[in-house]
Coordinates of all heavy atoms in Angstrom, one line a residue:
H1 N 40.7 -286.6 -51.3 CA 40.0 -285.4 -51.7 C 40.3 -284.3 -50.6 O 40.6 -284.6 -49.5 CB 38.5 -285.6 -51.9 CG 37.8 -286.0 -50.7 ND1 37.6 -287.4 -50.4 CD2 37.3 -285.4 -49.6 CE1 37.0 -287.5 -49.2 NE2 36.8 -286.3 -48.8
I2 N 40.0 -283.0 -51.0 CA 40.1 -281.9 -50.1 C 38.9 -282.0 -49.2 O 37.8 -282.3 -49.6 CB 40.1 -280.6 -50.9 CG1 41.3 -280.5 -51.8 CG2 40.1 -279.4 -49.9 CD1 42.6 -280.5 -51.1
E3 N 39.2 -281.7 -47.9 CA 38.1 -281.8 -46.9 C 36.8 -281.0 -47.3 O 36.9 -279.9 -47.8 CB 38.6 -281.1 -45.6 CG 37.7 -281.2 -44.4 CD 38.2 -280.5 -43.2 OE1 39.3 -279.9 -43.3 OE2 37.5 -280.5 -42.2
G4 N 35.7 -281.7 -47.3 CA 34.4 -281.1 -47.6 C 34.1 -281.2 -49.1 O 33.0 -280.7 -49.5
K5 N 35.0 -281.8 -50.0 CA 34.8 -281.7 -51.4 C 34.6 -283.1 -52.0 O 34.2 -283.1 -53.2 CB 36.0 -281.1 -52.1 CG 36.3 -279.6 -51.6 CD 35.2 -278.7 -52.1 CE 35.6 -277.2 -51.7 NZ 34.6 -276.3 -52.2
G6 N 34.7 -284.2 -51.3 CA 34.7 -285.5 -52.0 C 33.6 -286.4 -51.4 O 32.7 -286.0 -50.8
H7 N 33.8 -287.7 -51.7 CA 32.9 -288.7 -51.3 C 32.9 -288.8 -49.7 O 33.8 -288.5 -49.1 CB 33.3 -290.1 -51.9 CG 33.3 -290.1 -53.4 ND1 32.2 -289.8 -54.1 CD2 34.2 -290.4 -54.2 CE1 32.5 -289.9 -55.4 NE2 33.7 -290.3 -55.5
S8 N 31.8 -289.4 -49.2 CA 31.7 -289.8 -47.8 C 32.6 -291.1 -47.7 O 32.9 -291.7 -48.7 CB 30.3 -290.1 -47.4 OG 29.8 -291.2 -48.0
E9 N 32.9 -291.4 -46.5 CA 33.7 -292.6 -46.3 C 32.9 -293.9 -46.7 O 33.5 -294.8 -47.3 CB 34.1 -292.8 -44.8 CG 35.2 -291.7 -44.4 CD 35.6 -291.9 -42.9 OE1 35.0 -292.7 -42.2 OE2 36.5 -291.2 -42.5
A10 N 31.6 -293.9 -46.5 CA 30.8 -295.0 -46.9 C 30.8 -295.1 -48.4 O 30.8 -296.2 -49.0 CB 29.4 -294.8 -46.4
D11 N 30.7 -294.0 -49.1 CA 30.7 -294.0 -50.6 C 32.1 -294.6 -51.1 O 32.1 -295.3 -52.1 CB 30.5 -292.6 -51.2 CG 29.1 -292.2 -51.1 OD1 28.2 -293.0 -51.0 OD2 28.8 -290.9 -51.0
S12 N 33.1 -294.2 -50.5 CA 34.5 -294.7 -50.8 C 34.5 -296.2 -50.6 O 35.1 -296.9 -51.5 CB 35.6 -294.0 -50.0 OG 35.6 -292.6 -50.4
A13 N 34.0 -296.6 -49.5 CA 34.0 -298.1 -49.2 C 33.3 -298.9 -50.3 O 33.7 -299.9 -50.8 CB 33.4 -298.4 -47.9
V14 N 32.1 -298.3 -50.7 CA 31.3 -299.0 -51.8 C 32.1 -299.1 -53.1 O 32.2 -300.1 -53.8 CB 30.0 -298.3 -52.0 CG1 29.3 -298.8 -53.3 CG2 29.1 -298.4 -50.8
Q15 N 32.8 -298.0 -53.4 CA 33.6 -297.9 -54.6 C 34.8 -298.9 -54.6 O 35.0 -299.6 -55.5 CB 34.2 -296.5 -54.8 CG 35.1 -296.3 -56.0 CD 35.6 -294.9 -56.1 OE1 35.0 -294.0 -55.7 NE2 36.8 -294.8 -56.7
H16 N 35.4 -298.9 -53.4 CA 36.6 -299.9 -53.3 C 36.2 -301.3 -53.3 O 36.9 -302.2 -53.9 CB 37.3 -299.6 -51.9 CG 37.9 -298.2 -51.9 ND1 38.4 -297.7 -50.7 CD2 38.2 -297.3 -52.9 CE1 38.9 -296.5 -51.0 NE2 38.8 -296.3 -52.2
I17 N 35.0 -301.6 -52.8 CA 34.5 -303.0 -52.8 C 34.1 -303.4 -54.2 O 34.4 -304.5 -54.7 CB 33.3 -303.1 -51.9 CG1 33.7 -303.0 -50.4 CG2 32.5 -304.5 -52.1 CD1 32.6 -302.9 -49.4
D18 N 33.5 -302.4 -55.0 CA 33.2 -302.7 -56.4 C 34.5 -303.0 -57.2 O 34.6 -303.9 -58.0 CB 32.5 -301.5 -57.0 CG 31.0 -301.5 -56.8 OD1 30.5 -302.6 -56.7 OD2 30.4 -300.5 -56.9
E19 N 35.5 -302.2 -56.9 CA 36.8 -302.4 -57.7 C 37.5 -303.7 -57.3 O 38.0 -304.4 -58.2 CB 37.7 -301.2 -57.3 CG 37.3 -299.9 -57.9 CD 38.1 -298.7 -57.4 OE1 38.9 -298.9 -56.5 OE2 37.9 -297.6 -57.9
A20 N 37.4 -304.0 -56.0 CA 38.1 -305.3 -55.6 C 37.3 -306.5 -56.1 O 38.0 -307.4 -56.7 CB 38.1 -305.3 -54.1
T21 N 36.0 -306.5 -56.0 CA 35.3 -307.7 -56.5 C 35.4 -307.8 -58.1 O 35.4 -308.8 -58.6 CB 33.8 -307.6 -56.1 OG1 33.2 -306.3 -56.5 CG2 33.7 -307.7 -54.6
G22 N 35.5 -306.6 -58.7 CA 35.7 -306.6 -60.2 C 37.0 -307.2 -60.6 O 37.2 -307.7 -61.7
K23 N 38.0 -307.3 -59.7 CA 39.3 -307.9 -59.9 C 39.3 -309.4 -59.4 O 40.4 -310.0 -59.4 CB 40.4 -307.1 -59.3 CG 40.5 -305.7 -59.9 CD 41.6 -304.9 -59.2 CE 41.7 -303.5 -59.8 NZ 42.6 -302.6 -59.1
G24 N 38.1 -309.9 -59.1 CA 38.1 -311.3 -58.6 C 38.4 -311.6 -57.2 O 38.6 -312.7 -56.8
I25 N 38.4 -310.5 -56.4 CA 38.6 -310.7 -54.9 C 37.3 -310.9 -54.2 O 36.4 -310.1 -54.3 CB 39.4 -309.5 -54.3 CG1 40.7 -309.3 -55.1 CG2 39.6 -309.7 -52.8 CD1 41.4 -308.0 -54.7
H26 N 37.2 -312.0 -53.4 CA 36.0 -312.2 -52.6 C 36.2 -311.5 -51.3 O 37.2 -311.7 -50.5 CB 35.8 -313.7 -52.4 CG 34.6 -313.9 -51.4 ND1 33.3 -313.5 -51.6 CD2 34.6 -314.5 -50.2 CE1 32.6 -313.9 -50.6 NE2 33.3 -314.5 -49.7
I27 N 35.2 -310.6 -50.9 CA 35.3 -309.9 -49.6 C 34.4 -310.7 -48.6 O 33.2 -310.9 -48.8 CB 34.7 -308.5 -49.8 CG1 35.4 -307.7 -50.9 CG2 34.8 -307.7 -48.4 CD1 36.8 -307.5 -50.7
G28 N 35.1 -311.2 -47.6 CA 34.4 -312.1 -46.6 C 33.8 -311.3 -45.5 O 32.7 -311.6 -45.1
K29 N 34.5 -310.2 -45.0 CA 34.0 -309.4 -43.9 C 34.3 -308.0 -44.2 O 35.3 -307.7 -44.8 CB 34.6 -309.8 -42.6 CG 34.2 -311.3 -42.2 CD 34.9 -311.6 -40.8 CE 34.6 -313.1 -40.4 NZ 35.3 -313.4 -39.2
F30 N 33.5 -307.1 -43.6 CA 33.8 -305.6 -43.7 C 33.7 -305.0 -42.3 O 32.7 -305.2 -41.7 CB 32.8 -304.9 -44.7 CG 33.0 -303.4 -44.7 CD1 33.9 -302.9 -45.5 CD2 32.4 -302.6 -43.8 CE1 34.2 -301.5 -45.5 CE2 32.6 -301.2 -43.8 CZ 33.5 -300.7 -44.7
Y31 N 34.8 -304.4 -41.9 CA 34.8 -303.7 -40.6 C 34.8 -302.2 -40.8 O 35.5 -301.6 -41.6 CB 36.1 -304.1 -39.9 CG 36.3 -305.5 -39.6 CD1 36.9 -306.4 -40.6 CD2 36.0 -306.1 -38.4 CE1 37.1 -307.7 -40.3 CE2 36.2 -307.4 -38.1 CZ 36.7 -308.2 -39.0 OH 36.9 -309.6 -38.8
G32 N 33.9 -301.6 -40.0 CA 33.9 -300.1 -40.1 C 33.3 -299.5 -38.8 O 32.5 -300.2 -38.1
D33 N 33.6 -298.2 -38.5 CA 33.0 -297.6 -37.4 C 31.6 -297.0 -37.7 O 31.1 -297.3 -38.8 CB 33.9 -296.5 -36.8 CG 34.2 -295.4 -37.9 OD1 33.5 -295.2 -38.8 OD2 35.3 -294.7 -37.7
G34 N 31.1 -296.1 -36.9 CA 29.7 -295.6 -37.1 C 29.5 -294.8 -38.4 O 28.4 -294.6 -38.8
A35 N 30.6 -294.3 -39.0 CA 30.5 -293.6 -40.2 C 30.0 -294.4 -41.4 O 29.6 -293.9 -42.4 CB 31.9 -292.9 -40.5
F36 N 30.1 -295.7 -41.2 CA 29.7 -296.6 -42.3 C 28.3 -297.2 -42.1 O 27.9 -298.2 -42.8 CB 30.8 -297.7 -42.4 CG 32.1 -297.2 -42.8 CD1 33.0 -296.9 -41.8 CD2 32.5 -296.9 -44.1 CE1 34.2 -296.3 -42.1 CE2 33.7 -296.4 -44.4 CZ 34.6 -296.1 -43.4
Y37 N 27.6 -296.6 -41.2 CA 26.2 -297.1 -41.0 C 25.3 -296.4 -42.1 O 24.6 -295.5 -41.8 CB 25.7 -296.7 -39.6 CG 24.3 -297.1 -39.2 CD1 24.0 -298.4 -39.0 CD2 23.3 -296.1 -39.1 CE1 22.7 -298.7 -38.6 CE2 22.0 -296.4 -38.7 CZ 21.7 -297.7 -38.5 OH 20.4 -298.1 -38.2
A38 N 25.4 -297.0 -43.3 CA 24.7 -296.4 -44.4 C 24.0 -297.5 -45.2 O 24.6 -298.6 -45.4 CB 25.7 -295.7 -45.3
N39 N 22.8 -297.2 -45.6 CA 22.0 -298.2 -46.3 C 22.7 -298.8 -47.5 O 22.7 -300.0 -47.8 CB 20.7 -297.6 -46.8 CG 19.7 -297.4 -45.7 OD1 19.5 -298.4 -44.9 ND2 19.0 -296.3 -45.6
K40 N 23.3 -297.9 -48.4 CA 24.0 -298.3 -49.6 C 25.1 -299.3 -49.3 O 25.3 -300.2 -50.1 CB 24.4 -297.1 -50.4 CG 25.6 -296.3 -49.7 CD 26.0 -295.1 -50.6 CE 25.0 -294.0 -50.4 NZ 25.4 -292.8 -51.1
L41 N 25.8 -299.1 -48.2 CA 26.9 -300.0 -47.9 C 26.4 -301.4 -47.5 O 26.9 -302.4 -47.9 CB 27.8 -299.4 -46.8 CG 29.0 -300.2 -46.4 CD1 29.9 -300.6 -47.6 CD2 29.9 -299.5 -45.4
Y42 N 25.4 -301.4 -46.7 CA 24.8 -302.7 -46.3 C 24.2 -303.5 -47.5 O 24.4 -304.7 -47.6 CB 23.6 -302.5 -45.3 CG 24.1 -302.3 -43.8 CD1 24.4 -301.0 -43.4 CD2 24.3 -303.4 -43.0 CE1 24.8 -300.8 -42.1 CE2 24.8 -303.1 -41.7 CZ 25.0 -301.9 -41.2 OH 25.5 -301.7 -40.0
E43 N 23.6 -302.8 -48.4 CA 23.1 -303.4 -49.6 C 24.3 -303.9 -50.5 O 24.2 -305.1 -51.0 CB 22.3 -302.4 -50.4 CG 21.0 -301.9 -49.8 CD 20.0 -303.0 -49.7 OE1 19.9 -303.9 -50.7 OE2 19.1 -303.0 -48.8

């Protein structure tokens, strides 16, 4: 997305995890810097 117009990095991570698990991929670990310190991602 254009800078300032799209999802946060944490929102993108949630979306990508949803898409991956929907395709049958088990996510064992998630690595991220401080930008991913978000309630929705931990949930």
Side-chain angles (χ1 to χ4, degrees):
H1 61 266
I2 300 296
E3 182 183 3
K5 300 292 185 180
H7 299 302
S8 69
E9 291 183 353
D11 286 337
S12 294
V14 170
Q15 177 182 332
H16 294 166
I17 291 169
D18 273 336
E19 292 170 353
T21 54
K23 295 176 182 176
I25 302 172
H26 173 62
I27 307 298
K29 298 177 182 179
F30 175 87
Y31 298 85
D33 60 22
F36 298 92
Y37 181 71
N39 283 314
K40 66 182 76 175
L41 180 54
Y42 280 90
E43 293 290 330

